[in-house]
Amino acid sequence: MGFAGELTTIGLPDVFSNVAFGRLTGILTVTERDRRARIYFEDGMVRAYAGIAERTLDYAVLALRANAAPVQAVRDAGRRRRRRTLKEILKDTPGFDEARYDAAIAAAIQEELIILFNWRRASFVFDEVRPAEGEFDREQMGCAIALDPQAVVAEAARRADEWDAIAHRIGSDRDVFIAVGAPPEEESSPAVQRLLERLDGTRDLKALIEDMPHGRFHVLKMVTDLLERGLVQKATAEQLRELAARAEAAGDANRAAAHCEAVLELDGADSETRRSLIRLYVQAGRRSDASKEHKRLARAHEQAGDLNAALACFEAAAELAPYDLETLERIADIHDGRGDREPYMRAGLRLAEALTSQRLHEEARDVYRRLLEHDSESVQLREALAATYAKLHEPRKAGRELLGLASRAMDRGDTERALHYYRSVLAVDRDCDEASQRIEELESRRVRHRRRRIRRRILAVFCTLALVAGAWWGVREWHAQGALHAASRVALAGLTERPSEEALATAVEAYANVARDYPGTAAADDASETVRFLLTDALWRLRRYGPEETEAADRFLTRLNRTQLPDDLKDFWKEARERLLAKKKNS
């Protein structure tokens, strides 16, 4: 059973009254063009509501506005909510007021129902059925909601009568109002006091409605009443600027920024206030908001034709938000339109890198292609394009780019770089025969070059050693010749006239030292020959000694025995001395 019709024929108040009078249970569906709302009635009372998707109820916000639960408990419940409703979770927390929570949900549903009374060209269908599971929000179905349709109709009618007065005094939800007085204490209510506290010039009417728990109509009605009593007035831009300056002087950057936002709602072309707002955002650490304001300022400069100022603002926005794709793209477009090749290349590369960081590889690929149209020889761009192809799972295209880079590296004679590119090709496309063949050729060529370099290094080492040895030997020979000349001077000094055994022994020692200290040199050979000559001469002298000269001969022999002669001279002297001694013994 059920009924249907058009609201142009049967008004929604009559539909609500019929359902309430008949204590019907069912679902009323109201449709106007692409909008649809559904209401569940149970025994003639409104039990749940499902409106358009853009106006879904935020139950956590409703709970906070109604003070139905502690703030932290509501936030924790919102994070823990999976299959359980917010109310089911809050029931387990201390300080939860279930009746207040249900009343807040019911009031929010009533506000949504009153909006339906403004649908003029709508149709309706009432089906006497109970809703299926999940057809209405479980949050509402779990609350004790029982709205009287007659009360909803009466409230809608009352508001319809008062809307004209409200609209006459309040023009837009974007208007900003400030409190300039307070009503007498006996005439004030907690709602009015809360409203006056929030009329501080930091929020417009839309934000004020969202911050108050009373709904749009009640908030606007209270503001209208206060306006009529002269306790509230519409703020001017100059008043808001003064409030912003005071807040900034007090060190409250967020509050000052809110006042500047209100100024811009009144005068969006006020560029000076927008710059102040940017500065306040930065002071408050709100870099993202500052970047957005820089972009708005940049667009204003663009519309005025000042591209240099627009670029400066976009660059400032990019510095605050380095991965804002819209900003980076606009910077690149402006440089491209002006023909600034180098700045355009830098901006395009930065845009492509930002796209890649956000895994927008297709867009990054298109940007790299456009950049290559301006600089087809850029190795960096082709490497980045090849990497993007690989991330897009296009190995053939990635391999083609890398093969081109490898070919250019070979043309420059950079075989190591070419080998790196060929290996990169195989990393993305294992079936590339060209890359495999090139790697094999380069590897074998590199082995041959390595062997050749090793042979050259060995030969260079040998040549170096030979040069060092020759130089060392020449120095040694020079020192040996010097020592030989010194020994000759000693010998000549003692043997010039009639040589004595002492002078002869000194000369032998001097030449023997040269032969011992510099073996293998020409000077040592000359010294050895001289020592042999002197020893032979000494033996000839000793053979002529008579008995009276035996003591002098013994001293000579003893000194020569202590002289450190080279081995060959020792043998020569030993053998000659033994012959001499034997001959003297026999005589």
Side-chain angles (χ1 to χ4, degrees):
M1 295 290 293
F3 55 92
E6 300 288 334
L7 293 184
T8 54
T9 305
I10 304 174
L12 193 59
D14 295 332
V15 176
F16 271 47
S17 299
N18 290 337
V19 174
F21 181 77
R23 298 177 61 85
L24 301 178
T25 296
I27 299 174
L28 175 65
T29 303
V30 183
T31 306
E32 184 184 53
R33 296 180 182 176
D34 57 346
R35 299 185 296 178
R36 188 178 72 163
R38 305 173 72 247
I39 309 160
Y40 172 49
F41 292 88
E42 191 174 280
D43 294 331
M45 307 295 283
V46 175
R47 183 73 177 80
Y49 169 81
I52 57 179
E54 291 79 4
R55 294 184 59 84
T56 56
L57 300 180
D58 190 333
Y59 301 106
V61 172
L62 294 174
L64 291 174
R65 288 179 181 174
N67 293 324
V71 175
Q72 191 59 43
V74 174
R75 291 175 179 172
D76 293 341
R79 287 193 293 267
R80 289 158 43 201
R81 185 167 43 175
R82 294 293 183 271
R83 297 184 179 181
R84 301 169 65 192
T85 64
L86 181 65
K87 181 178 179 179
E88 290 171 347
I89 298 174
L90 290 176
K91 275 186 176 182
D92 301 332
T93 61
F96 175 60
D97 190 333
E98 183 176 357
R100 183 173 290 182
Y101 182 82
D102 292 347
I105 304 301
I109 291 176
Q110 178 173 299
E111 293 294 325
E112 296 297 321
L113 292 175
I114 290 174
I115 296 175
L116 296 180
F117 287 84
N118 296 321
W119 292 15
R120 303 301 181 188
R121 298 183 179 277
S123 60
F124 68 90
V125 176
F126 184 82
D127 296 317
E128 293 189 51
V129 294
R130 292 189 177 274
E133 184 177 0
E135 192 170 357
F136 284 88
D137 198 330
R138 289 178 57 236
E139 196 75 50
Q140 297 181 25
M141 300 298 289
C143 295
I145 299 172
L147 285 173
D148 185 358
Q150 297 286 12
V152 175
V153 171
E155 179 65 19
R158 184 180 69 83
R159 293 188 185 184
D161 294 337
E162 295 182 357
W163 268 120
D164 290 340
I166 293 174
H168 178 71
R169 298 302 302 270
I170 298 176
S172 169
D173 285 351
R174 293 299 182 183
D175 291 339
V176 180
F177 292 86
I178 57 175
V180 294
E185 186 174 352
E186 63 274 6
E187 298 180 13
S188 179
S189 65
V192 173
Q193 291 295 334
R194 184 172 182 175
L195 178 65
L196 290 173
E197 291 174 0
R198 283 156 177 74
L199 291 174
D200 56 0
T202 62
R203 54 177 68 81
D204 56 18
L205 280 178
K206 182 179 180 182
L208 183 66
I209 292 169
E210 293 176 353
D211 193 40
M212 295 289 289
H214 308 290
R216 184 171 185 272
F217 173 79
H218 292 291
V219 174
L220 295 179
K221 181 69 169 60
M222 286 190 288
V223 172
T224 303
D225 293 341
L226 293 171
L227 279 170
E228 291 177 351
R229 298 171 64 182
L231 301 177
V232 168
Q233 70 179 25
K234 187 176 180 180
T236 64
E238 189 59 35
Q239 288 174 322
L240 294 172
R241 291 190 191 96
E242 184 178 351
L243 291 173
R246 292 178 185 174
E248 185 177 6
D252 192 346
N254 283 312
R255 189 178 185 85
H259 288 306
C260 289
E261 289 170 355
V263 173
L264 292 173
E265 289 293 340
L266 298 176
D267 183 9
D270 187 350
S271 59
E272 188 62 33
T273 300
R274 196 172 297 281
R275 292 189 184 92
S276 299
L277 179 59
I278 292 170
R279 185 186 69 254
L280 292 168
Y281 279 150
V282 173
Q283 290 178 9
R286 299 163 61 179
R287 297 173 63 86
S288 177
D289 292 332
S291 175
K292 292 177 183 177
E293 292 302 321
H294 270 304
K295 288 195 292 185
R296 292 191 181 100
L297 198 58
R299 295 190 191 98
H301 287 308
E302 276 192 285
Q303 292 176 359
D306 191 350
L307 292 182
N308 289 327
L311 270 176
C313 291
F314 277 127
E315 289 289 354
E319 184 177 351
L320 293 168
Y323 296 100
D324 186 348
L325 300 179
E326 180 186 1
T327 302
L328 298 177
E329 185 174 8
R330 196 70 203 106
I331 292 172
D333 289 343
I334 292 177
H335 283 304
D336 189 23
R338 294 171 50 173
D340 303 332
R341 184 175 179 276
E342 291 300 326
Y344 168 69
M345 296 298 293
R346 290 195 298 269
L349 190 59
R350 184 166 51 166
L351 172 61
E353 291 172 351
L355 289 167
T356 301
S357 68
Q358 299 183 32
R359 299 185 178 182
L360 300 174
H361 302 305
E362 293 185 358
E363 290 83 350
R365 175 198 60 196
D366 296 338
V367 173
Y368 284 129
R369 285 175 174 173
R370 291 197 300 271
L371 293 175
L372 283 171
E373 291 176 359
H374 293 78
D375 186 5
S376 59
E377 301 298 323
S378 174
V379 174
Q380 181 184 6
L381 289 176
R382 294 207 173 271
E383 288 179 348
L385 180 59
T388 304
Y389 278 135
K391 292 173 183 176
L392 288 171
H393 305 291
E394 298 181 0
R396 296 295 177 85
K397 293 182 179 180
R400 185 168 61 247
E401 293 294 334
L402 292 170
L403 286 174
L405 290 171
S407 177
R408 295 183 183 184
M410 289 295 296
D411 293 341
R412 296 193 305 269
D414 191 350
T415 56
E416 290 296 328
R417 195 67 180 169
L419 190 59
H420 166 73
Y421 286 132
Y422 285 129
R423 287 171 177 166
S424 300
V425 172
L426 290 183
V428 298
D429 186 6
R430 296 182 178 180
D431 298 329
C432 183
D433 295 333
E434 180 181 354
S436 300
Q437 181 179 355
R438 293 293 186 182
I439 289 174
E440 185 177 354
E441 292 176 357
L442 290 176
E443 288 285 2
S444 60
R445 186 185 303 176
R446 190 164 66 171
V447 170
R448 292 195 301 270
H449 287 174
R450 186 183 298 116
R451 290 174 179 173
R452 190 179 303 165
R453 285 197 301 270
I454 291 173
R455 288 196 297 267
R456 289 175 179 174
R457 287 174 184 172
I458 293 173
L459 181 60
V461 169
F462 280 138
C463 292
T464 302
L465 290 176
L467 290 173
V468 171
W472 175 79
W473 191 261
V475 171
R476 191 166 180 271
E477 185 69 40
W478 179 75
H479 283 291
Q481 290 292 337
L484 180 63
H485 292 320
S488 299
R489 287 195 297 271
V490 171
L492 289 175
L495 302 177
T496 303
E497 296 180 356
R498 185 175 178 179
S500 63
E501 287 77 5
E502 182 69 21
L504 185 61
T506 301
V508 170
E509 286 180 350
Y511 285 112
N513 289 336
V514 175
R516 185 189 68 248
D517 295 339
Y518 302 95
T521 62
D525 294 340
D526 293 343
S528 296
E529 290 298 326
T530 304
V531 169
R532 287 189 177 90
F533 172 78
L534 293 175
L535 290 177
T536 302
D537 183 69
L539 290 175
W540 180 79
R541 290 172 180 271
L542 290 174
R543 191 170 58 186
R544 294 186 294 112
Y545 285 161
E548 66 281 3
E549 298 173 314
T550 302
E551 185 177 351
D554 290 339
R555 285 197 307 271
F556 178 71
L557 292 175
T558 301
R559 180 167 180 176
L560 285 182
N561 288 336
R562 292 198 303 267
T563 302
Q564 297 180 358
L565 298 174
D567 292 340
D568 56 339
L569 294 178
K570 284 181 180 180
D571 295 339
F572 172 80
W573 170 246
K574 183 179 180 181
E575 181 181 353
R577 187 186 62 180
E578 289 176 352
R579 286 201 306 267
L580 175 63
L581 293 175
K583 186 174 182 181
K584 291 181 73 69
K585 183 178 181 181
N586 293 332
S587 62

